[in-house]
Amino acid sequence: MTQPNLTKNDGITPRSQDYSQWYLDVIKRADLAEHSAVRGCMVIKPHGYAIWEKMQRELDDRFKATGHVNAYFPLFIPLSYLTREEKHAAGFAKECAVVTHHRLKSIDGKVVVDPESKLEEPLVIRPTSETIIWDTYKGWIQSYRDLPLLINQWANVVRWEMRTRLFLRTAEFLWQEGHTAHATEKEALEETYRMLDVYADFAENIMAVPVIRGKKTPGERFAGALETLCIEGMMQDGKALQMGTSHYLGQNFAKSSDVTFLNAAGQREYVYATSWGVSTRLVGALIMTHSDDTGLILPPKLAPIHVVIVPIFKNDAEKIKVLEEAGKVAGELKAQGLVVKLDDREGIMPGAKYYEWEAKGVPVRIEIGPKDLEKGSLCLVRRFVLEKEGETEQEQRKRKKTFVPCAEALAGIKPLLDTMQRELLERAHLLRTKRSRVINSLAEFEQFFKDGGGFAWVHWAGTHEQEEEMAKRFETTIRCIPLPDQIPADAHGTGSCILTGQPSAQRVVMARAY
RNA sequence: CGGGACGUAGCGCAGUUUGGUAGCGCGCUUGGUUCGGGACCAAGAGGUCGCGGGUUCAAAUCCCGCCGUCCCGACCA
């Protein structure tokens, strides 16, 4: 495999210098993805896709555990379907790819769209699947006995974005979308909150990203939803990232697609709906939450490779012995269910291998050399533990090496990974705490964002227009109206709106956002 | 879609002002010496200079158009 230039600082721009460039550099160095020939679309490379696959597995298990099943609906949506729900249609109108023809033909050696093949009705490439799914559900639901209908699909969607960033916003992306039908509003609302909790649990316990669960303001709601719930994470630059949404759709889509059922009393009713989704954007969240200037840092639960073993030897005699031991160690760790990479490439300095695997985010490295064979020990190195909190660049790059008796080391890897998983969440939590502030005046608000910003907990009673005013003046938006149990102790209670001074029931989270 | 910058070998760049037919570093291949934090020596391979047109005896270089990337705005669930 071709490696990028490994001299100097790994080709990674320091976070402190240019966060956007750092983000792109990490993606490149960790070999996660690249821009494709198609505008706004990316190629997810094996290492990046492996992370997504792990996310999928974790999420899918949780969906199944909460009673959902998977299905697949078409990529194409008849234009007339998309326009059935007025607000929904308006919300997506500006970013739809449309298929209008079904055939090409060759004219003078040039392949062109055959004008004769124009479709009677254009097909929209799904920006989301509510409309086609509800049209389908119509045929599946007759009785309250058919409810609830709990279906998820893993799919790609297309939203023709003007400005794209790898993983965070691309024209085509991968996601899952759950679409459920319920007999009562209460049940549907419970589902909406349940799936939000699933996302929050996944974000915190698997991604090690602390999130705030909340509601979107009407202006930020999903097109066609009565309520949009979200989880919001904070990236290392203090900006917010919406990491998942769960929508209560009421009877809007049931009405526009005429999906009714007979209840136990024999009365015809429209069903109540939810939809919820997370996307490959989560890979971006992962990068921006944990990684550093040497590259990607992955929580062990999402790391495609848990442990890399780097053998060290000077001559053939040592090589044979060291590789034999390395093979044994790899075998024993694999038997524990861990994914282990033995990097036995020749002609590459051990140090070069260290940097490469650190850039790719492998949590634990084991170095095995002649000295370890003598002592019966292994050298353990953790991805984000420095030898000392150094001032110089060299010191910041050097990881702490721990020499542990072999048997003890082997038994200790799994607990070590668990510890690292926990430490990453703690680190992210600490950063969020540091960059969150309860704010009561506009002057303080302005200063907070001048100083780098973060999450501002402010009282709010403004209108949608006043939200836009805040966005213009400070580049901030209301990320969410936090659910009651999400509000820190010092942010409880009523107060007065930071902009208008009107009475406010609770604080909201304002931040700059991706 | 507006403003700016950029596009030359896998990656990073020089060369463009002043036109003369392409170079450097890293990576890659082969051989040897190396190997506990990014090795060294030697010999090699690799380029439609983003795409299309124009000017010219001659274009990476000048002109026009287009495409793409990045940054800033607008837009955005």
Side-chain angles (χ1 to χ4, degrees):
Chain A
M1 194 177 293
T2 311
Q3 292 306 320
N5 186 349
L6 300 183
T7 58
K8 299 286 160 60
N9 61 349
D10 303 357
I12 297 178
T13 307
R15 278 170 295 186
S16 56
Q17 188 184 317
D18 183 343
Y19 196 78
S20 298
Q21 192 56 49
W22 166 81
Y23 174 75
L24 293 166
D25 291 344
V26 169
I27 290 172
K28 181 182 275 188
R29 274 291 281 129
D31 217 18
L32 300 179
E34 61 187 42
H35 290 283
S36 73
V38 184
R39 181 192 176 87
C41 295
M42 66 174 168
V43 175
I44 304 176
K45 299 182 77 174
H47 192 51
Y49 199 78
I51 294 168
W52 176 239
E53 284 180 313
K54 298 211 93 168
M55 289 181 169
Q56 282 184 299
R57 169 64 72 89
E58 291 288 345
L59 287 163
D60 204 61
D61 286 349
R62 284 166 171 74
F63 299 156
K64 302 279 169 61
T66 43
H68 303 83
V69 291
N70 285 329
Y72 187 80
F73 296 85
L75 172 69
F76 303 114
I77 298 176
L79 182 57
S80 60
Y81 283 32
L82 197 73
T83 55
R84 275 180 196 168
E85 214 288 332
E86 202 178 335
K87 281 183 189 160
H88 187 68
F92 286 105
K94 279 176 259 174
E95 49 187 16
C96 286
V98 186
V99 177
T100 54
H101 295 74
H102 66 84
R103 195 163 61 210
L104 302 174
K105 70 180 201 179
S106 185
I107 297 177
D108 301 332
K110 272 191 177 174
V111 177
V112 297
V113 174
D114 183 352
E116 303 284 302
S117 70
K118 191 167 181 192
L119 296 174
E120 274 184 40
E121 180 178 3
L123 296 171
V124 176
I125 298 182
R126 62 180 167 222
T128 178
S129 302
E130 272 78 4
T131 56
I132 185 116
I133 284 179
W134 281 95
D135 184 76
T136 310
Y137 281 2
K138 182 183 175 178
W140 294 0
I141 297 169
Q142 279 94 38
S143 153
Y144 71 95
R145 296 178 206 275
D146 297 325
L147 298 174
L149 186 58
L150 305 173
I151 291 179
N152 174 66
Q153 91 163 338
W154 290 97
N156 58 338
V157 286
V158 169
R159 296 177 187 179
W160 213 261
E161 301 287 352
M162 292 200 226
R163 197 168 153 188
T164 59
R165 301 192 70 195
L166 291 175
F167 289 113
L168 295 181
R169 174 170 285 115
T170 47
E172 180 195 12
F173 57 92
L174 306 182
W175 77 344
Q176 58 70 216
E177 45 181 327
H179 297 274
T180 67
H182 305 264
T184 65
E185 172 174 45
K186 179 169 174 286
E187 252 188 52
L189 274 169
E190 281 169 4
E191 168 80 358
T192 312
Y193 281 86
R194 180 182 306 120
M195 299 322 287
L196 187 75
D197 287 345
V198 164
Y199 288 154
D201 172 67
F202 169 78
E204 302 201 339
N205 294 316
I206 305 301
M207 294 180 67
V209 179
V211 292
I212 293 174
R213 288 173 291 136
K215 297 178 180 181
K216 285 295 185 189
T217 60
E220 298 257 332
R221 257 180 218 149
F222 173 72
L226 298 183
E227 188 80 86
T228 288
L229 307 180
C230 63
I231 52 172
E232 293 283 329
M234 183 195 284
M235 305 297 102
Q236 292 180 75
D237 60 350
K239 285 168 86 171
L241 182 72
Q242 177 178 300
M243 292 171 58
T245 50
S246 182
H247 315 290
Y248 171 61
L249 304 173
Q251 296 175 310
N252 285 354
F253 286 90
K255 284 177 179 166
S256 60
S257 290
D258 193 31
V259 184
T260 61
F261 70 103
L262 283 181
N263 65 23
Q267 295 160 324
R268 185 161 296 278
E269 279 190 74
Y270 287 112
V271 302
Y272 294 84
T274 82
S275 68
W276 27 272
V278 295
S279 71
T280 38
R281 167 179 261 204
L282 291 180
V283 178
L286 202 60
I287 297 164
M288 288 200 294
T289 302
H290 300 304
S291 301
D292 64 14
D293 289 350
T294 14
L296 189 63
I297 290 179
L298 290 172
K301 287 183 179 173
L302 290 176
I305 298 170
H306 298 112
V307 178
V308 63
I309 300 174
V310 178
I312 292 146
F313 46 81
K314 285 190 174 66
N315 51 50
D316 280 351
E318 284 181 358
K319 177 180 156 186
I320 291 168
K321 283 185 192 163
V322 167
L323 283 181
E324 189 191 340
E325 175 68 7
K328 266 191 212 162
V329 169
E332 295 197 26
L333 291 175
K334 282 177 188 168
Q336 294 179 26
L338 296 169
V339 181
V340 183
K341 170 76 184 175
L342 171 56
D343 187 352
D344 56 3
R345 290 175 298 173
E346 293 190 32
I348 298 174
M349 300 288 282
K353 294 180 180 178
Y354 303 163
Y355 283 110
E356 182 177 332
W357 294 110
E358 284 177 12
K360 289 191 168 181
V362 177
V364 172
R365 175 172 76 242
I366 298 177
E367 299 171 18
I368 302 178
K371 290 177 198 167
D372 297 300
L373 295 190
E374 272 175 38
K375 293 186 291 184
S377 67
L378 295 175
C379 173
L380 300 185
V381 185
R382 284 159 290 170
R383 170 62 180 80
F384 54 82
V385 180
L386 297 175
E387 187 170 279
K388 54 179 175 178
E389 293 300 325
E391 307 76 38
T392 68
E393 197 179 308
Q394 221 15 264
E395 280 173 333
Q396 286 183 9
R397 291 175 171 281
K398 206 153 185 176
R399 314 289 152 187
K400 186 175 179 183
K401 300 196 177 190
T402 316
F403 294 87
V404 185
C406 193
E408 193 183 313
L410 287 172
I413 296 289
K414 274 188 146 177
L416 186 64
L417 290 170
D418 290 342
T419 303
M420 292 175 77
Q421 178 83 28
R422 201 177 60 243
E423 284 171 346
L424 283 177
L425 179 62
E426 282 165 7
R427 272 187 1 167
H429 211 280
L430 190 66
L431 181 89
R432 190 182 72 176
T433 305
K434 274 187 189 163
R435 301 194 71 154
S436 296
R437 194 183 300 171
V438 174
I439 291 176
N440 294 310
S441 76
L442 270 187
E444 195 189 343
F445 186 86
E446 184 165 17
Q447 192 57 47
F448 180 62
F449 285 99
K450 265 188 191 157
D451 295 342
F455 285 180
W457 290 78
V458 300
H459 275 292
W460 183 256
T463 61
H464 181 56
E465 286 69 32
Q466 285 164 330
E467 272 181 64
E468 286 178 348
E469 185 190 331
M470 292 295 282
K472 274 208 178 124
R473 284 174 67 180
F474 308 110
E475 297 174 340
T476 57
T477 51
I478 298 176
R479 298 317 304 154
C480 68
I481 304 160
L483 300 184
D485 67 346
Q486 299 292 289
I487 301 172
D490 57 350
H492 276 295
T494 58
S496 50
C497 175
I498 192 168
L499 184 68
T500 65
Q502 297 294 308
S504 148
Q506 75 160 85
R507 289 179 189 270
V508 302
V509 173
M510 282 207 184
R512 292 184 177 145
Y514 281 98

